[in-house]
Amino acid sequence: MSRDPQGAGATLAELLKSPHVTSPTRQVLEERLEARHEPRALQADEFSRLQAVARRLVPPDPALFVPGEPDLAGAVDHRLASGLGDGWRYDDTPPDLEALKELLDVLPVDFVNQPSEGQDAHLRRLQERLPHAFEDLLAELTEVYYSHPLVQVSLGVAPFADAPGWTRIGLDEREEWEPQVGGAAPSPERHG
């Protein structure tokens, strides 16, 4: 697998300019690429803990996000502040924002500054203590990460290419313009 972050970024840029992506989707993806949310639902210290939790549970590929990383915590906070949800929760968990605050309150105040081994130990205990709230957070962080178009291109897929024209939809079939695993542009021989 290619580790060339410029390959994934360049491939994504080409795909976004291509006729394979409709204008509304292109606009949403470009906004998602630039999205950085200030905390609105969480207090600053809670948000810092959520950022640290996100980095431990869904560590971003440092070779893919140069510089920076996807704003997973910001996306979660933004959703909560907007009052949006997925429409369900376990019967033993409170509403989403309350559940997240309860989860973060269990962590020590110095969680952000602890070494990764210490953070992981706290997260394991947190998972045992509040398994459903932990599961919900892990699922949302994973969903946000894998919905990032740069991550999708690095996996060799372009599910955001929503314009009509897909012709190769069978098992193990790929359109010539689809990215390679690692995010590289399609190989020239595939166009021949």
Side-chain angles (χ1 to χ4, degrees), residues 95-108:
D96 291 354
L97 179 57
E98 191 178 329
L100 179 59
K101 285 178 171 272
E102 182 180 340
L103 201 72
L104 296 172
D105 284 348
V106 172
L107 296 172

Side-chain angles (χ1 to χ4, degrees), residues 85-145:
D86 56 10
W88 76 278
R89 65 177 193 262
Y90 288 104
D91 60 359
D92 65 347
T93 56
D96 291 354
L97 179 57
E98 191 178 329
L100 179 59
K101 285 178 171 272
E102 182 180 340
L103 201 72
L104 296 172
D105 284 348
V106 172
L107 296 172
V109 291
D110 66 342
F111 178 80
V112 172
N113 298 319
Q114 292 194 3
S116 57
E117 298 80 17
Q119 289 180 334
D120 290 349
H122 286 293
L123 290 173
R124 281 191 286 278
R125 286 192 289 275
L126 187 62
Q127 184 180 22
E128 291 172 5
R129 184 170 169 179
L130 299 167
H132 288 150
F134 185 89
E135 176 187 320
D136 282 348
L137 177 59
L138 177 59
E140 183 169 5
L141 292 172
T142 303
E143 181 180 309
V144 170
Y145 184 76

Side-chain angles (χ1 to χ4, degrees), residues 166-175 178 190:
W166 289 80
T167 59
R168 305 190 68 172
I169 58 174
L171 289 176
D172 296 326
E173 289 184 339
R174 300 177 60 80
E175 298 289 345
E178 285 188 89
R190 295 188 76 186

Side-chain angles (χ1 to χ4, degrees), residues 56-76:
R56 293 308 307 155
L57 295 180
V58 187
D61 183 340
L64 191 58
F65 293 94
V66 180
E69 60 187 59
D71 186 17
L72 304 182
V76 171

